[in-house]
Each structure stands twice: as C-alpha cells, then as structure tokens.
C-alpha cells in the first residue's frame, strides 16, 4: 500500500472516476453537500482522501471525486491518495 499527496482537479477526478466499479450506491444528496462545500472553499485536507484497490478501482472517495468533478476546472484540492488497498480486507471497514 502506498499513499501520496495529489492535487485533485476536476479533470483528474473525472479520470479517477473511470475506475469506479463495484462500489456502494452513489448518494446524490451527499455529492451535492460536498460539491457546495468545496465550492465555498470549506475543504480542509485531512488523513481521509481517495483510495484504490489492487485492481485500480476506487474503494474510498467516490462521493468526493464526483463532487470535485462537477466544479470549475481551475479548482484544486490536495488530497492523500492511497493505492493497492486489499479490498477483501478493507472495503467493509471503510466509512
């Protein structure tokens, strides 16, 4: 497992979402809440970011990525991005 700091733009979020398979149902109300918060400048970077499993699929962060993908292309959000998560062990305990 490897974690790095990545500046997530709407374009990068859209690319990352192309690997969003076999995830929980997207909740539009949660996406809208996050989108509005990002747009108002309320985002604060924390330990929680985006995670991909060993197959490259999104396993944490689909709501954040979807919200960011809807924003103007000049916006940037630094987030921790973790790759190579073992989905069989971690997916059930994430959020």
């Amino acid at each position: 497992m490897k974690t790095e700091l990545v500046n997530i733009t709407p374009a990068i979020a859209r690319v990352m979402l192309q690997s969003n398979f076999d995830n929980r149902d997207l909740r539009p109300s949660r996406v809208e809440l996050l989108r509005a918060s990002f747009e108002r400048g309320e985002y604060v970077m924390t330990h929680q970011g985006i995670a991909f499993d060993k197959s490259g699929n999104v396993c944490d962060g689909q709501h954040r990525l979807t919200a960011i993908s809807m924003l103007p292309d000049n916006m940037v959000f630094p987030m921790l991005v973790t790759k190579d998560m073992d989905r069989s062990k971690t997916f059930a305990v994430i959020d």
Side-chain angles (χ1 to χ4, degrees):
M1 181 169 35
K2 179 183 176 187
T3 302
E4 64 182 331
L5 182 62
V6 176
N7 287 321
I8 307 291
T9 64
I12 290 171
R14 288 189 287 273
V15 169
M16 288 178 164
L17 284 167
Q18 291 175 2
S19 296
N20 189 26
F21 305 106
D22 194 30
N23 215 327
R24 296 178 180 101
D25 290 341
L26 195 67
R27 296 185 317 271
S29 62
R30 178 73 178 144
V31 171
E32 179 52 30
L33 181 79
L34 289 167
R35 187 205 59 76
S37 178
F38 284 128
E39 194 165 52
R40 289 190 302 264
E42 297 171 354
Y43 170 71
V44 176
M45 190 180 85
T46 68
H47 68 286
Q48 190 172 15
I50 309 301
F52 295 88
D53 65 20
K54 291 181 179 189
S55 297
N57 297 315
V58 175
C59 58
D60 189 20
Q62 71 169 341
H63 288 85
R64 288 182 290 277
L65 289 172
T66 302
I68 292 170
S69 74
M70 301 165 73
L71 295 170
D73 285 332
N74 64 335
M75 299 187 87
V76 178
F77 303 94
M79 288 189 180
L80 295 174
V81 175
T82 301
K83 297 180 180 176
D84 296 325
M85 299 281 292
D86 185 338
R87 188 179 197 95
S88 67
K89 295 179 181 178
T90 59
F91 190 71
V93 297
I94 296 173
D95 295 333

